[in-house]
Amino acid sequence: NDFSGDGLLTNEEFFTVESKFFNKDLSGLFDMPLWKMVDVISNTVLAEKVYTAIKNFDKNALEKLDAFGINLVANSHQNYPKRLIKKMKVDSPILLYCLGDETLLNKKSTAVIGARQIDESGKKFAFDIGESVAKEQKVLVSGGARGSDLEATKSAILNGGKAIWFVAVPVDEVVKNRMVKEWIETGKLLVCWDCNPFAPFSSK
């Protein structure tokens, strides 16, 4: 259910299409007639391929994303993390699925990743790091897992900071936690996926 990767378009073709919609909503493609698509993309063969891909795309997926408040941030968009492109270059994800304040993606940040099973001293260590990140006015970035990630996030937010989670678990697992849901709604936490946010978690 994607245009790229294992879908109908190669990454290079997707970049070509995306460049025509720089900083615009790609969902506009879904209601575009073929003649208009040919005109905008300026490549008849590619336009027809895109049109075919859209015909085979699950539009219910977009409605589901909208219901959860998840936005698609393409790697040509102004909010897409520039550091990700700089480090990963062509391997950077074409799309990020974002729930929360997308502007956090380009703020100064510090990553915190640690063990899930931690004792009291580990909790204190993670809490102290979260507090330090907040006081440095940086955004804390983690995977949002229980243990070190969660404790550091709690501390950062408690101390007036903000956080970003890049997660692999489905969105319904994320928002079922009231505290996490409140953080998202108040702009304190941004949750991101580089894959389908409704897919079940797998370690494979």
Side-chain angles (χ1 to χ4, degrees):
N1 290 337
D2 201 345
F3 292 132
S4 59
D6 57 0
L8 296 179
L9 302 186
T10 65
N11 280 0
E12 184 178 353
E13 288 172 331
F14 187 90
F15 287 136
T16 301
V17 174
E18 188 185 50
S19 68
K20 304 292 183 178
F21 292 83
F22 184 76
N23 280 344
K24 293 183 180 178
D25 186 357
L26 287 174
S27 64
L29 284 168
F30 288 88
D31 299 316
M32 188 176 291
L34 179 57
W35 68 266
K36 179 65 174 176
M37 200 171 290
V38 170
D39 183 52
V40 172
I41 296 176
S42 304
N43 182 321
T44 302
V45 174
L46 182 55
E48 290 176 348
K49 196 171 183 182
V50 172
Y51 190 75
T52 301
I54 288 172
K55 288 287 187 181
N56 289 280
F57 192 85
D58 183 5
K59 289 189 178 181
N60 291 330
L62 285 180
E63 294 176 2
K64 200 171 179 182
L65 289 171
D66 188 58
F68 275 91
I70 297 172
N71 292 321
L72 296 175
V73 178
N75 63 3
S76 63
H77 195 276
Q78 59 189 3
N79 287 335
Y80 192 94
K82 296 174 179 61
R83 284 162 295 181
L84 202 57
I85 296 175
K86 184 178 180 181
K87 288 185 177 296
M88 297 186 69
K89 297 182 172 58
V90 295
D91 293 323
S92 59
I94 290 174
L95 292 173
L96 291 179
Y97 299 82
C98 297
L99 178 59
D101 181 5
E102 300 157 15
T103 64
L104 295 180
L105 288 168
N106 281 299
K107 303 287 187 184
K108 289 184 179 180
S109 61
T110 297
V112 176
I113 300 172
R116 293 172 182 247
Q117 302 293 340
I118 54 176
D119 57 19
E120 288 304 314
S121 63
K123 285 183 180 181
K124 184 180 184 308
F125 184 73
F127 190 92
D128 290 345
I129 290 178
E131 182 179 8
S132 296
V133 172
K135 287 182 177 179
E136 290 174 2
Q137 297 185 325
K138 292 182 178 179
V139 176
L140 187 142
V141 180
S142 77
R146 70 176 184 274
S148 301
D149 295 13
L150 183 57
E151 290 301 318
T153 300
K154 284 181 183 177
S155 176
I157 292 175
L158 182 64
N159 285 283
K162 295 184 179 182
I164 300 172
W165 286 355
F166 282 88
V167 300
V169 295
V171 61
D172 54 344
E173 287 291 317
V174 173
V175 299
K176 73 179 182 181
N177 184 311
R178 282 188 195 175
M179 178 177 64
V180 171
K181 189 176 181 181
E182 182 182 347
W183 288 345
I184 295 168
E185 291 174 346
T186 55
K188 297 172 183 175
L189 174 67
L190 169 66
V191 182
C192 299
W193 296 259
D194 66 350
C195 57
N196 185 346
F198 302 107
F201 172 75
S202 173
S203 59
K204 295 181 181 180

